[in-house]
Amino acid sequence: MIDALTSGLLAGYGIAIPVGAIGVLIVTLAAQVSLRHGAAAGLGTATADGLYAVAAVVSGAAIARLLQPAIGVLRAAAAVVLVAIAVRGILTAVRARHAAADATQPVPTGSAARTYAAFVGLTLLNPMTIVYFAALVVGYQGHTADSADGRVLVGTVFVVAAFVASASWQLLLATGGAILGRTLASQRGRLITALVGNGIIALLAIRLAWQAVS
Protein backbone atom coordinates (compact mmCIF):
# COMPACT_ATOMS: atom_id res chain seq x y z
CA MET A 1 0.00 0.00 0.00
CA ILE A 2 2.81 2.40 0.90
CA ASP A 3 4.51 1.44 -2.35
CA ALA A 4 1.37 2.33 -4.36
CA LEU A 5 1.02 5.64 -2.46
CA THR A 6 4.64 6.58 -3.07
CA SER A 7 4.47 5.56 -6.73
CA GLY A 8 1.27 7.56 -7.22
CA LEU A 9 2.76 10.69 -5.67
CA LEU A 10 5.91 10.37 -7.75
CA ALA A 11 3.85 9.79 -10.89
CA GLY A 12 1.71 12.87 -10.25
CA TYR A 13 4.63 15.16 -9.47
CA GLY A 14 6.68 13.66 -12.29
CA ILE A 15 4.19 14.73 -14.94
CA ALA A 16 3.17 18.02 -13.26
CA ILE A 17 6.43 19.66 -12.19
CA PRO A 18 8.09 20.13 -15.62
CA VAL A 19 6.38 23.39 -16.63
CA GLY A 20 5.45 23.02 -20.27
CA ALA A 21 2.74 24.68 -22.32
CA ILE A 22 -0.10 23.77 -19.97
CA GLY A 23 1.79 25.02 -16.91
CA VAL A 24 2.46 28.33 -18.66
CA LEU A 25 -1.23 28.52 -19.56
CA ILE A 26 -2.26 28.06 -15.93
CA VAL A 27 0.13 30.78 -14.71
CA THR A 28 -0.94 33.16 -17.48
CA LEU A 29 -4.64 32.58 -16.90
CA ALA A 30 -4.33 33.18 -13.14
CA ALA A 31 -2.32 36.35 -13.78
CA GLN A 32 -4.56 37.75 -16.52
CA VAL A 33 -8.02 36.68 -15.35
CA SER A 34 -8.27 35.50 -11.73
CA LEU A 35 -7.00 32.95 -9.23
CA ARG A 36 -10.38 31.19 -9.48
CA HIS A 37 -9.92 30.59 -13.19
CA GLY A 38 -6.29 29.59 -12.73
CA ALA A 39 -7.28 27.12 -10.02
CA ALA A 40 -10.05 25.73 -12.24
CA ALA A 41 -7.50 25.24 -15.02
CA GLY A 42 -5.10 23.53 -12.63
CA LEU A 43 -7.77 21.19 -11.33
CA GLY A 44 -8.81 20.40 -14.90
CA THR A 45 -5.23 19.43 -15.70
CA ALA A 46 -4.99 17.34 -12.54
CA THR A 47 -8.27 15.61 -13.41
CA ALA A 48 -6.90 14.61 -16.82
CA ASP A 49 -3.73 13.32 -15.15
CA GLY A 50 -5.95 11.32 -12.80
CA LEU A 51 -7.90 9.87 -15.74
CA TYR A 52 -4.66 8.71 -17.32
CA ALA A 53 -3.66 7.18 -14.00
CA VAL A 54 -6.98 5.29 -14.00
CA ALA A 55 -6.23 4.10 -17.54
CA ALA A 56 -2.80 2.97 -16.35
CA VAL A 57 -4.38 0.90 -13.60
CA VAL A 58 -7.26 -0.54 -15.63
CA SER A 59 -5.78 -1.12 -19.05
CA GLY A 60 -2.20 -1.96 -18.26
CA ALA A 61 0.64 -2.12 -20.73
CA ALA A 62 -1.69 -2.49 -23.74
CA ILE A 63 -2.26 1.29 -23.61
CA ALA A 64 1.33 1.94 -24.64
CA ARG A 65 1.01 -0.18 -27.77
CA LEU A 66 -2.34 1.36 -28.76
CA LEU A 67 -1.29 5.02 -28.42
CA GLN A 68 2.11 4.90 -30.07
CA PRO A 69 0.86 4.83 -33.72
CA ALA A 70 -1.30 7.93 -33.15
CA ILE A 71 1.30 10.08 -31.39
CA GLY A 72 1.96 12.21 -34.51
CA VAL A 73 -1.72 13.04 -34.93
CA LEU A 74 -2.05 13.83 -31.22
CA ARG A 75 0.94 16.17 -31.38
CA ALA A 76 -0.55 17.98 -34.37
CA ALA A 77 -3.95 18.33 -32.69
CA ALA A 78 -2.38 19.66 -29.50
CA ALA A 79 -0.27 22.14 -31.51
CA VAL A 80 -3.38 23.51 -33.26
CA VAL A 81 -5.19 23.94 -29.94
CA LEU A 82 -2.20 25.67 -28.34
CA VAL A 83 -1.79 28.10 -31.24
CA ALA A 84 -5.48 29.00 -31.04
CA ILE A 85 -5.24 29.59 -27.29
CA ALA A 86 -2.07 31.69 -27.66
CA VAL A 87 -3.61 33.89 -30.37
CA ARG A 88 -6.83 34.31 -28.42
CA GLY A 89 -4.89 35.13 -25.23
CA ILE A 90 -2.84 37.85 -26.93
CA LEU A 91 -5.88 39.38 -28.65
CA THR A 92 -7.84 39.34 -25.39
CA ALA A 93 -5.00 41.10 -23.53
CA VAL A 94 -4.70 43.79 -26.22
CA ARG A 95 -8.45 44.37 -26.27
CA ALA A 96 -8.60 44.49 -22.48
CA ARG A 97 -5.89 47.17 -22.39
CA HIS A 98 -7.71 49.30 -24.96
CA ALA A 99 -11.00 48.75 -23.13
CA ALA A 100 -9.47 50.00 -19.88
CA ALA A 101 -7.94 53.00 -21.60
CA ASP A 102 -11.29 53.87 -23.22
CA ALA A 103 -13.23 53.32 -19.97
CA THR A 104 -15.44 50.73 -21.67
CA GLN A 105 -16.56 47.51 -20.09
CA PRO A 106 -13.88 44.81 -19.80
CA VAL A 107 -13.65 41.85 -22.12
CA PRO A 108 -15.86 39.08 -20.65
CA THR A 109 -14.38 35.74 -19.68
CA GLY A 110 -15.97 32.30 -19.49
CA SER A 111 -17.03 30.62 -16.28
CA ALA A 112 -14.62 28.71 -14.07
CA ALA A 113 -16.50 25.51 -14.95
CA ARG A 114 -15.89 26.14 -18.63
CA THR A 115 -12.20 26.77 -17.96
CA TYR A 116 -12.03 23.51 -15.99
CA ALA A 117 -13.61 21.52 -18.84
CA ALA A 118 -11.32 23.15 -21.43
CA PHE A 119 -8.19 22.18 -19.49
CA VAL A 120 -9.38 18.63 -18.99
CA GLY A 121 -9.66 18.34 -22.77
CA LEU A 122 -6.40 20.15 -23.50
CA THR A 123 -4.43 17.97 -21.08
CA LEU A 124 -5.98 14.81 -22.51
CA LEU A 125 -4.57 15.92 -25.89
CA ASN A 126 -1.12 16.67 -24.46
CA PRO A 127 1.22 14.10 -26.03
CA MET A 128 3.70 14.36 -23.16
CA THR A 129 0.98 13.30 -20.72
CA ILE A 130 -0.03 10.45 -23.01
CA VAL A 131 3.50 9.17 -23.48
CA TYR A 132 4.27 9.56 -19.76
CA PHE A 133 1.31 7.52 -18.55
CA ALA A 134 1.60 5.03 -21.41
CA ALA A 135 5.13 4.29 -20.18
CA LEU A 136 3.97 4.39 -16.58
CA VAL A 137 1.52 1.52 -17.05
CA VAL A 138 4.41 -0.86 -17.70
CA GLY A 139 5.96 -0.03 -14.34
CA TYR A 140 2.61 -0.12 -12.60
CA GLN A 141 2.23 -3.85 -13.25
CA GLY A 142 4.47 -4.45 -10.27
CA HIS A 143 1.92 -2.96 -7.86
CA THR A 144 -0.37 -5.95 -7.50
CA ALA A 145 -2.19 -7.62 -4.65
CA ASP A 146 -3.27 -11.20 -3.99
CA SER A 147 -7.05 -10.59 -4.09
CA ALA A 148 -9.34 -8.65 -6.42
CA ASP A 149 -10.37 -6.35 -3.56
CA GLY A 150 -6.73 -5.77 -2.73
CA ARG A 151 -5.94 -4.83 -6.32
CA VAL A 152 -8.83 -2.36 -6.39
CA LEU A 153 -7.65 -0.76 -3.14
CA VAL A 154 -4.04 -0.52 -4.31
CA GLY A 155 -5.16 0.91 -7.66
CA THR A 156 -7.38 3.47 -5.94
CA VAL A 157 -4.54 4.61 -3.68
CA PHE A 158 -2.28 5.00 -6.72
CA VAL A 159 -4.83 7.06 -8.68
CA VAL A 160 -5.77 9.32 -5.75
CA ALA A 161 -2.11 9.94 -4.91
CA ALA A 162 -1.31 10.84 -8.53
CA PHE A 163 -4.27 13.25 -8.68
CA VAL A 164 -3.42 14.92 -5.35
CA ALA A 165 0.22 15.37 -6.37
CA SER A 166 -0.68 16.88 -9.73
CA ALA A 167 -3.42 19.10 -8.25
CA SER A 168 -1.14 20.46 -5.52
CA TRP A 169 1.47 21.53 -8.06
CA GLN A 170 -1.05 23.00 -10.52
CA LEU A 171 -2.67 25.04 -7.72
CA LEU A 172 0.79 26.28 -6.71
CA LEU A 173 1.31 27.47 -10.29
CA ALA A 174 -2.09 29.19 -10.25
CA THR A 175 -1.31 30.92 -6.95
CA GLY A 176 2.02 32.08 -8.31
CA GLY A 177 0.27 33.42 -11.39
CA ALA A 178 -2.25 35.31 -9.27
CA ILE A 179 0.52 36.88 -7.18
CA LEU A 180 2.34 37.85 -10.36
CA GLY A 181 -0.86 39.44 -11.63
CA ARG A 182 -1.23 41.53 -8.47
CA THR A 183 2.44 42.52 -8.55
CA LEU A 184 2.22 43.63 -12.16
CA ALA A 185 -1.07 45.41 -11.60
CA SER A 186 -0.71 47.98 -14.34
CA GLN A 187 -2.31 47.45 -17.74
CA ARG A 188 1.13 47.50 -19.35
CA GLY A 189 2.39 44.84 -16.94
CA ARG A 190 -0.60 42.62 -17.68
CA LEU A 191 -0.09 43.05 -21.40
CA ILE A 192 3.59 42.10 -21.11
CA THR A 193 2.66 39.03 -19.06
CA ALA A 194 0.13 37.97 -21.69
CA LEU A 195 2.57 38.48 -24.57
CA VAL A 196 5.37 36.56 -22.87
CA GLY A 197 3.20 33.70 -21.61
CA ASN A 198 1.24 33.21 -24.82
CA GLY A 199 4.40 33.68 -26.88
CA ILE A 200 5.99 30.75 -25.06
CA ILE A 201 2.84 28.70 -25.68
CA ALA A 202 3.05 29.50 -29.40
CA LEU A 203 6.72 28.44 -29.51
CA LEU A 204 5.87 25.18 -27.78
CA ALA A 205 3.06 24.63 -30.29
CA ILE A 206 5.51 25.14 -33.16
CA ARG A 207 7.83 22.60 -31.57
CA LEU A 208 4.98 20.09 -31.31
CA ALA A 209 4.03 20.67 -34.96
CA TRP A 210 7.65 20.14 -36.05
CA GLN A 211 7.77 16.86 -34.10
CA ALA A 212 4.49 15.77 -35.71
CA VAL A 213 5.81 16.16 -39.27
CA SER A 214 9.38 15.01 -38.67
Side-chain angles (χ1 to χ4, degrees), residues 14 18 32 58 74 89 105 130 136 144 173 194 214:
Q32 298 300 320
V58 173
L74 291 169
Q105 69 179 41
I130 295 170
L136 184 65
T144 57
L173 288 181
S214 61

Side-chain angles (χ1 to χ4, degrees), residues 1 3-4 7 56-57 60-61 135-146 150-151 154-155 158:
M1 192 67 63
D3 192 22
S7 297
V57 172
L136 184 65
V137 298
V138 178
Y140 180 79
Q141 301 308 306
H143 302 301
T144 57
D146 295 333
R151 287 192 293 271
V154 169
F158 176 86

Side-chain angles (χ1 to χ4, degrees), residues 43-69:
L43 290 176
T45 296
T47 298
D49 290 344
L51 290 174
Y52 274 118
V54 171
V57 172
V58 173
S59 300
I63 292 286
R65 294 192 298 271
L66 290 174
L67 290 177
Q68 188 58 38

Side-chain angles (χ1 to χ4, degrees), residues 5-185:
L5 176 63
T6 303
S7 297
L9 290 173
L10 290 175
Y13 282 123
I15 191 60
I17 287 178
V19 179
I22 291 177
V24 173
L25 271 171
I26 293 170
V27 172
T28 302
L29 186 61
Q32 298 300 320
V33 183
S34 69
L35 175 59
R36 185 164 65 96
H37 281 75
L43 290 176
T45 296
T47 298
D49 290 344
L51 290 174
Y52 274 118
V54 171
V57 172
V58 173
S59 300
I63 292 286
R65 294 192 298 271
L66 290 174
L67 290 177
Q68 188 58 38
I71 192 63
V73 175
L74 291 169
R75 281 198 180 110
V80 170
V81 172
L82 290 174
V83 168
I85 290 174
V87 171
R88 183 179 184 276
I90 292 172
L91 291 177
T92 299
V94 171
R95 289 171 183 167
R97 185 169 186 244
H98 289 323
D102 298 338
T104 57
Q105 69 179 41
V107 176
T109 58
S111 66
R114 188 174 178 180
T115 299
Y116 169 84
F119 273 77
V120 171
L122 180 59
T123 307
L124 288 176
L125 284 174
N126 185 358
M128 292 307 297
T129 306
I130 295 170
V131 171
Y132 181 84
F133 279 103
L136 184 65
V137 298
V138 178
Y140 180 79
Q141 301 308 306
H143 302 301
T144 57
D146 295 333
S147 65
D149 289 343
R151 287 192 293 271
V152 170
L153 181 58
V154 169
T156 300
V157 169
F158 176 86
V159 170
V160 171
F163 170 80
V164 169
S166 178
S168 65
W169 182 259
Q170 309 302 347
L171 291 175
L172 180 62
L173 288 181
T175 302
I179 293 172
L180 178 65
R182 286 195 294 270
T183 302
L184 301 177

